Amino acid sequence: MKNVIITFVLNGKKMTMEILPNISLLDLLRDHLGLTGAKKGCETGECGACTVLMNGKAVNSCIVLAPQINGKEIQTIEGVGTESSLHPLQRAFVEKGAVQCGFCTPGMLMSLKALYDEKAKAGREEIKRAISGNLCRCTGYQQIIEAADTAFKARSEK
Amino acid sequence: MRTVGKSVDRRGALEAVTGKTLYSDDIKMENVAHLKVVRSTRPHALIKKIDTSIAEHIPGVIRIFTSKDIRGTNRYGIINKDQEVLVERKARYVGDPIALVAAESESAAAQAADAVTVEYEDIPPVLTVEEAKNSDTEPVHEKGNLLFTRDIIKGDIDKGFDEANIIIEDTYTTPMIAHGYVETEAGIGFLDEKGTIVIKVSTQNPHYDQRDVAAALDLNTDQIRIIQAPTGAAFGGKLDISVQGFIALAAQHLKRPVKLRYTLEETMLSACKRHAMVIHYKTGAKKDGKITAVDVKFTLDTGAYASYGLAVISRAAVHALGPYDVQNVNIHGEVYYTNNIWAGAMRGFGVPQVSFAHEGQMDSLAKALDIDPFEIRMINALKAGSTTVTGQVLNASVGITETLQKVKTAKENRENKLKSNDKKLSPWIKQGWGLASFWYGIGNTGMSNPSTARVEADKEGQLTLFTGAAEIGQGSDTVLTQIAAEALQIPYKRLNLVRADTGLTTNAGATSASRQTYISGNAVKLAAEDLIQKFTEEASRKLDVPSEEIIYEKGEFKGRGKSIDIKSLAGQLYKKGQIPIGEGFFDPFITMLDKKTGHGIPYATYTFGTYYVEVEVDTGTGEVSVKYVIAAVDVGKAINPSNVAGQIIGGVAMGIGYALMEEFNPGKTQSFTDYLYPTSMDVPPVEVIIVEDPEPSGPYGAKGVGEPALIPTAPAIISAINQALNIKIIDLPAKLERVMKTVLRSSVSGGI
Amino acid sequence: MILPEFDFVTFNTLEETLSFLYRHSDESKLIAGGTDLMIKLKSGEIAPKYIVNLSRCEDLNYVKDNNGNISIGPIVTHTELINSSLLNKFVPVLSDAAGVIGSPQIRNQGTIGGNICNASPSADTVPALMVLNSRVKIVSHDEERWTSLKDFFLSPHQTILKGNELVAKIEVEKLAEDTLFSFQRVTRRKAMDIAQMSVAVALVMDENKERVLEARISPGSVTPTPVRIHEAEKILESGKLTDRLIELASEEISLRAIDMTDTLWIPEYKRPAIKGLAIRTIKDAMSKGGEIQ
């Protein structure tokens, strides 16, 4: 099995790596890049806990083959904001009670960030649809939608 | 109050939103070995031979363990110790663990696990309760397939039915379902400098884990330390021993770090499920709606192992009547072993099942007697002063009627608002609304289940709450800290928390039975008060004022014009070689249920509630859409209202799944591809009504909400579908095929 | 995730890709989005020596207006189909179908080529493509051939593609701009679900919007390979479009689907439900035309 060389941008930083090709993007992030924010859930692209952004679009990193990211831009939750400098979506999540067990949270935020970056305004139906690929068994989604709605509205008002 | 009653930011939320929370599988260690379990492919079979010869030689394989390597009892179980870490003589279900592989990599471990060959000698399996009852072949467990029976007898059932003007009788069935937590079972173990096996694991009850694993592997409890890692939800599925036994076994022998994470398929295959039930329910009532007699006979399939079977059947029996006052009741339940996947605790513990039945009965009564569904429940509702089915007098905090009234008002307000925008529906869409009420006892059924806690001050006066209570997303970290901070009169953010670590905390009991707010909440409050008392005594000495004259206020102890603060007092005590610790212990007041009559005080307090649901049914395709929910729950006191709302909405979402789409079929259901539960598009707006009928024995009046949140959802949805189609659905889930069948059978046509 | 070993190869042109496929035809699998491929690799269903990456082949990535028809490259993602103004204007049924596939994540990654080549009987783009008289261009290193979409499928999960071939173009007919389209499906939950059944409909109406000049109907997930139900189409075209006609046509769809399939394939539920779904779909198409009753 031949190594492949991938060049990509990770959370704004240019990276070049030589890897064995038979690894998912999720495992590359978690096991080789120390980024455990993207979670391992179903590993069949059905829960969204592993969601990251690839060229600005939400994808299930568990079913992206690492070599596929060559030439692409990857964003993970680690690149969204920090405790001292939260992204508005992150802050809204904390304020609106959108976190319970927290396991779906990074994936949810990435799906919402894709929408937030793409659209200046988004209504509740659009927000709901944006997270329709992220399963949550704890919250019932309502406070998550409320948080995103608040963040969008706050930006519109500025 | 400063903190209690406020929706303060959740502890752990900042870490979660920045991706910093380290769940078990996120924890990295050097030189870690990977574990993989080899599981039975037969439902009931003797293990004749385990051949590891090929597997052992796969590069990267370190060791393969079987039951021969287990030094202790090799037995565990949350109630009955009938489960083995690795089976010795026979496998009892497809998925029963037979061997454990340890390897240098995940892929080597998986490869080796596949290469282990097991020689089985099949024993006829029993796959239904009927088969288990009537089988004459080797039973699942030595004592026979009947695990337990529970009876509750009140009054005179025959007299009750004689008095009735109408009798409603039906048999309800509910399926096995899965918990659906997105974080599968996972843990990592290593030996610390003292040689103690330390395991960080996704769990609901670290102190129990410690005890059972130690006994199974012949360790002293001080040789094993369980630390609850941040846990990605559980809903009752992480109370039993799962990865803990395997990790401890491997760490014990290999003396190096080891880790194990179940794949989702493995969780589906081998982790416990909700008990399937068959409930035969007979209700007699007078023309005016008052119920005179209830006779319930139900059976549970607990699968290959008992797990919480005893507790589920007992709780189901107590709750089968519903939140109603009835003089003549007979309840008889039986729980059987089968060779299906084992069933255990899942949110609601038998009550989601029996409430489906008792609310189905109420709806039928309402319809037959032409009494409004709200009215018939109010007529029969328990009140303060009522005597329950087990002979317990409810003194206070019986908010069922208040929840019914508030939902009724909210429904009327909604109808008035909607009158103006009359949406025109396609002719094949039928609308309906439904109602369901429930009650739920807080704490373990008829059993002592105490919690302990302590609050410590360091020499700077910084306070830390120590509690063994596991946070599983339901918010106990936040709520317990709020309660303690309130009692300590300090800002919530100034109280540190150490929790769920057998090396540092004392047992708070399991995070189950919706008990942590009430039981651990009381324990932490008492611990806080105890610390204040100890400081008061020291303040009395320092200020030379009698302790009765000392007043404590927000960190300061004052008397006779003098004052001293916690920081100074703590410093003083440390100088004397003393550590200021306040301790709390709380065990709810209960009595055990009588074996014959079921009489007793099974719970110190009950949560009550009523849900209202609107649905639309597409009679052409059988699809059901839930359009709106009004959810009212009497929680005694909402320590954190946002938290309570989150639990309620989450419970509604889970209930939509139970009502419409969830079914676990052993052997068929394998992953999230075939096990479906609600997405964001499936959950409608939920109007939350928090009712507070204070519980005098609860911390600041609080009871519990975790499981209550789920319970009335499915019954209310089914009630709504029944109204829409003018039919009665008595089997869950109301999936496409079932709804279509009822459409075709009923008077509702699917035409244009 | 544990994956088998393979070599991952990427070419920038179609020509180079085809040349490689010719040399390694039975040991290669193509990857565009990868959503289906990854599942098969994980389960062990496939273990190819080479995985050939198509994402750099710009000559496979386009949505083009050719006046009478529109051609779509196989590596166009479902999200791109949803956002294509060209498709939305002329053949919205295809964008609508793509819009219900899986989840946003799956739609961002999955491609139309992958959807048809995976050949699941419940593939959502297929019924939409069927009512657009879709044709597929298949190429290999030395040959190219066209086939109707219908003939592209042999049986569930099997197409006529040989090991050295790939789909280079998917062509759809452009109908009149006021054609009424609809795509509807039945699922167990409202997102991230495979269709239990689906129906795509295209109706070309007369000037008065009273009669259907041309009806096209294709059900999904009820036959092993995709079909058009001509008998039902004829019923819709037979006179003034009334509820009765719609009901008869929908009944016909149910009957024909059963005829074409082993009844095991159509569990008892699907018989009445496909009829109900067809009625809903036709009515939905009509509602887009404004005043029709």
Side-chain angles (χ1 to χ4, degrees), chain B residues 416-475:
Chain B
N416 289 332
K417 239 188 268 176
L418 288 178
K419 263 203 203 113
S420 40
N421 54 328
D422 216 354
K423 194 173 75 166
K424 196 163 189 299
L425 289 174
S426 308
W428 55 81
I429 303 281
K430 299 291 171 211
Q431 281 180 311
W433 65 266
L435 199 64
S437 293
F438 77 96
W439 65 327
Y440 194 79
I442 301 301
N444 293 5
T445 308
M447 274 181 62
S448 166
N449 64 129
S451 176
T452 62
R454 73 180 188 283
V455 183
E456 265 181 40
D458 70 9
K459 59 179 184 291
E460 305 295 317
Q462 169 61 51
L463 301 177
T464 302
L465 169 64
F466 289 81
T467 169
E471 159 73 66
I472 56 171
Q474 89 294 22

Side-chain angles (χ1 to χ4, degrees), chain B residues 111-139:
Chain B
Q111 232 189 317
D114 281 341
V116 172
T117 45
V118 180
E119 205 183 291
Y120 301 97
E121 186 184 297
D122 282 325
I123 305 170
V126 290
L127 298 175
T128 64
V129 162
E130 285 312 303
E131 283 173 29
K133 259 197 224 185
N134 303 316
S135 149
D136 56 2
T137 53
E138 180 177 325

Side-chain angles (χ1 to χ4, degrees), chain B residues 709-739:
Chain B
L710 163 66
I711 292 163
T713 314
I717 292 172
I718 300 301
S719 170
I721 298 172
N722 288 345
Q723 191 198 77
L725 303 180
N726 194 29
I727 194 74
K728 184 175 180 182
I729 289 172
I730 53 175
D731 305 295
L732 288 181
K735 56 186 181 176
L736 296 171
E737 292 86 345
R738 276 211 176 102
V739 175

Side-chain angles (χ1 to χ4, degrees), chain B residues 106-107 110 265 428 618 620-625 661 672 676-677 679 681-682 735-737 740 744 752, chain C residues 1-2 42 185-194 196 243 246-247 269 272-273 276-277 279-280 283:
Chain B
E106 207 192 321
S107 57
E265 289 79 1
W428 55 81
D618 184 331
T621 62
E623 287 165 298
V624 178
S625 299
M661 62 187 85
F672 280 167
L676 304 180
Y677 66 73
T679 67
M681 307 295 282
D682 296 286
K735 56 186 181 176
L736 296 171
E737 292 86 345
M740 199 57 170
L744 295 173
I752 299 180
Chain C
M1 189 189 288
I2 297 161
K42 181 186 170 185
R185 25 177 241 172
V186 172
T187 50
R188 294 196 188 278
R189 66 178 177 189
K190 302 196 189 307
M192 256 203 307
D193 201 3
I194 293 171
Q196 293 298 308
D243 284 351
I246 293 171
E247 197 179 342
Y269 161 70
L277 181 64
I279 293 171
R280 191 170 100 192
K283 283 280 193 169

Side-chain angles (χ1 to χ4, degrees), chain A:
Chain A
M1 184 168 51
K2 294 197 198 76
N3 283 359
V4 295
I5 296 180
I6 49 174
T7 304
F8 57 101
V9 175
L10 177 60
N11 292 329
K13 185 164 160 226
K14 190 152 182 217
M15 313 269 298
T16 301
M17 289 178 80
E18 189 169 336
I19 57 164
L20 286 170
N22 64 341
I23 182 172
S24 66
L25 172 58
L26 180 65
D27 286 337
L28 186 75
L29 291 168
R30 290 174 58 79
D31 299 338
H32 298 263
L33 290 166
L35 298 171
T36 58
K39 303 299 172 198
K40 190 171 279 206
C42 68
E43 286 199 289
T44 49
E46 269 151 344
C47 73
C50 66
T51 305
V52 300
L53 302 191
M54 190 156 78
N55 286 357
K57 298 235 180 281
V59 292
N60 293 315
S61 62
C62 69
I63 51 173
V64 173
L65 258 183
Q68 286 181 283
I69 71 173
N70 189 31
K72 304 216 164 100
E73 237 186 87
I74 305 292
Q75 278 183 70
T76 70
I77 189 71
E78 290 87 349
V80 172
T82 60
E83 277 183 41
S84 50
S85 168
L86 291 175
H87 186 280
L89 284 168
Q90 289 170 315
R91 188 172 315 111
F93 262 52
V94 174
E95 286 169 5
K96 292 291 176 183
V99 177
Q100 287 189 30
C101 85
F103 201 74
C104 77
T105 302
M108 284 284 178
L109 281 166
M110 295 320 293
S111 291
L112 288 168
K113 182 160 194 297
L115 183 66
Y116 193 84
D117 291 344
E118 200 189 336
K119 292 246 170 99
K121 279 193 181 158
R124 286 192 174 229
E125 284 310 306
E126 263 184 288
I127 290 169
K128 252 177 137 173
R129 194 167 146 85
I131 58 169
S132 60
N134 293 82
L135 285 181
C136 176
R137 196 56 158 163
C138 296
T139 67
Y141 309 100
Q142 191 152 296
Q143 285 160 322
I144 292 171
I145 294 164
E146 182 69 38
D149 193 40
T150 303
F152 269 97
K153 288 201 168 92
R155 182 175 64 173
S156 289
E157 268 144 40
K158 283 214 192 90

